[in-house]
């Protein structure tokens, strides 16, 4: 098993380092022909705790990370897992909770994770009634957003062990370049259930239809919030599971989804129900923890630049995914920052 000694320190990735990395990154990427149904991944290096880390003897000193796991996005998930471990000061204290769409798929996914991360602490939780979840989904502006697994974050409090109090939820199309323990330590003050970076300059009204805004009983949803409701991206969240369960927030989200089936009040997948339930009561997280939108918009997936400021997490939300653009030999400049975490074994690697 390969082993790697890591020098621990600040892993924050400033913009200057990103630019330098891009300058030295090999600009040509060979096209790959591996299909999603026949993926082979390399074994990742093993990472060890720094001397200051306490032993993992209970859930209290662990960092719990929840992600979805499926064949379609598996390559992205593997890169995300590697990035979390590589930049953690206490990687042996990280416990992953993977949500899969079925028990049938769980077996094959388990073999893949075991092979690439034989030392990883993890559990895979299949969604038992995936048909019921699918029945609540309304078509959105992009078909990929209509996958039932995209709604798994709605059910984490029910799927994960009841003793679990807090979890960091991460999408599969991102990489971390900073210690996830910093994100996990985000305080959820007052009665906040979620913590996430907010973007109050975004056009909040655009996420809902004229039908929603013209109906006073619906539009007044945001009138009684603690403060101004703002957009936040649900791909990176710190969740207080105790407060979620106590407030029965899964039911509240599902009720909005059921209303959406009767009258179209939003267009964009799983995000609007979260905005309806939580916007205006989100604990703040620095914007460095979700440099989102690197996948472009939901229609064309064009290249985008980083937002100003430091970077702890790069997120390819939007249509364009770095592995797909690299395979097509049409990468965006920032896709070169994702490729070092790619564990996919190419045909040439398998034959060598």
């Amino acid at each position: 098993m390969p082993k790697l000694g890591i020098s621990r320190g600040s892993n924050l990735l400033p913009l200057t380092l990103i630019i330098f990395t891009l300058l030295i990154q090999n600009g040509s990427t060979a096209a790959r022909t591996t299909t999603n149904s026949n993926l082979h991944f390399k074994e990742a290096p093993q990472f060890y705790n720094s001397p200051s880390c306490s032993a993992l003897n209970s859930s209290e000193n662990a960092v719990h990370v929840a992600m979805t796991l499926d064949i379609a996005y598996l390559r992205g998930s593997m890169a995300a897992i590697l990035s979390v471990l590589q930049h953690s000061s206490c990687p042996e204290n990280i416990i992953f909770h993977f949500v899969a769409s079925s028990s049938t798929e769980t077996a094959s996914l388990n073999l893949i994770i075991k092979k690439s991360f034989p030392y990883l602490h993890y559990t895979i939780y299949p969604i038992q009634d995936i048909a019921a979840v699918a029945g609540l989904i309304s078509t959105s502006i992009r078909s990929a957003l209509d996958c039932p697994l995209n709604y798994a974050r709605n059910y984490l409090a029910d799927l994960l062990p009841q003793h679990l109090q807090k979890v960091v939820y991460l999408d599969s199309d991102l990489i971390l370049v900073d210690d996830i323990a910093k994100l996990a330590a985000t305080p959820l003050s007052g009665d906040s259930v979620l913590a996430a970076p907010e973007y109050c300059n975004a056009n909040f009204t655009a996420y809902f239809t004229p039908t929603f805004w013209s109906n006073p009983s619906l539009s007044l949803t945001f009138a009684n919030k603690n403060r101004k409701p703002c957009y936040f991206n649900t791909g990176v969240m710190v969740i207080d599971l105790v407060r979620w369960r106590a407030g029965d927030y899964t039911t509240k989200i599902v009720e909005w989804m059921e209303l959406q089936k009767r009258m179209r009040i939003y267009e964009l997948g799983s995000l609007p129900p979260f905005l309806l339930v939580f916007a205006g009561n989100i604990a703040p997280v620095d914007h460095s923890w979700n440099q989102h939108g690197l996948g472009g918009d939901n229609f064309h997936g064009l290249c985008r630049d980083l937002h100003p400021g430091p970077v702890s997490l790069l997120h390819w939300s939007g249509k364009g995914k770095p592995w797909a653009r690299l395979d097509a030999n049409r990468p965006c400049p920032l896709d070169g920052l994702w490729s070092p975490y790619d564990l996919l074994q190419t045909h040439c690697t398998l034959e060598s």
Side-chain angles (χ1 to χ4, degrees), residues 142-342:
R142 183 159 60 91
S143 59
L145 300 176
D146 301 336
C147 170
L149 207 55
N150 197 40
Y151 292 77
R153 69 199 89 189
N154 300 1
Y155 304 96
L156 289 177
D158 299 322
L159 290 167
L160 303 188
Q162 292 297 298
H163 65 81
L164 214 60
Q165 298 183 4
K166 182 194 282 189
V167 70
V168 178
Y169 175 82
L170 299 176
D171 271 353
S172 297
D173 53 355
L174 54 77
I175 57 169
L176 274 73
V177 290
D178 201 354
D179 193 338
I180 195 170
K182 299 177 186 177
L183 177 60
T186 301
L188 283 87
S189 57
D191 60 351
S192 295
V193 179
L194 301 182
E198 288 186 292
Y199 305 88
C200 292
N201 292 328
N203 182 7
F204 191 82
T205 60
Y207 292 96
F208 302 94
T209 64
T211 299
F212 175 87
W213 292 114
S214 63
N215 187 324
S217 64
L218 298 178
S219 58
L220 285 175
T221 300
F222 298 111
N224 298 318
K225 298 291 185 175
N226 292 346
R227 53 188 172 83
K228 176 186 175 182
C230 297
Y231 162 79
F232 65 95
N233 181 278
T234 53
V236 179
M237 299 184 290
V238 182
I239 306 174
D240 186 317
L241 295 172
V242 176
R243 291 177 183 171
W244 183 295
R245 295 179 185 120
D248 197 15
Y249 285 100
T250 295
T251 297
K252 294 176 181 178
I253 289 174
V254 167
E255 286 174 349
W256 282 111
M257 293 175 66
E258 290 173 341
L259 178 61
Q260 165 77 351
K261 295 288 285 188
R262 298 195 299 271
M263 54 188 296
R264 198 164 185 84
I265 58 174
Y266 56 80
E267 301 289 352
L268 190 62
S270 61
L271 170 64
F274 267 79
L275 296 178
L276 288 161
V277 174
F278 295 111
N281 193 25
I282 298 291
V285 174
D286 190 85
H287 286 183
S288 66
W289 283 104
N290 196 351
Q291 285 273 350
H292 68 290
L294 302 184
D297 61 23
N298 284 301
F299 297 101
H300 305 294
L302 301 178
C303 299
R304 284 186 178 174
D305 294 327
L306 290 170
H307 306 288
V311 181
S312 294
L313 182 151
L314 297 105
H315 186 187
W316 279 262
S317 58
K319 184 178 180 180
K321 303 307 176 188
W323 56 89
R325 295 193 295 213
L326 287 163
D327 284 357
N329 207 23
R330 294 193 299 269
C332 292
L334 291 174
D335 295 345
L337 296 174
W338 180 89
S339 59
Y341 301 94
D342 186 9

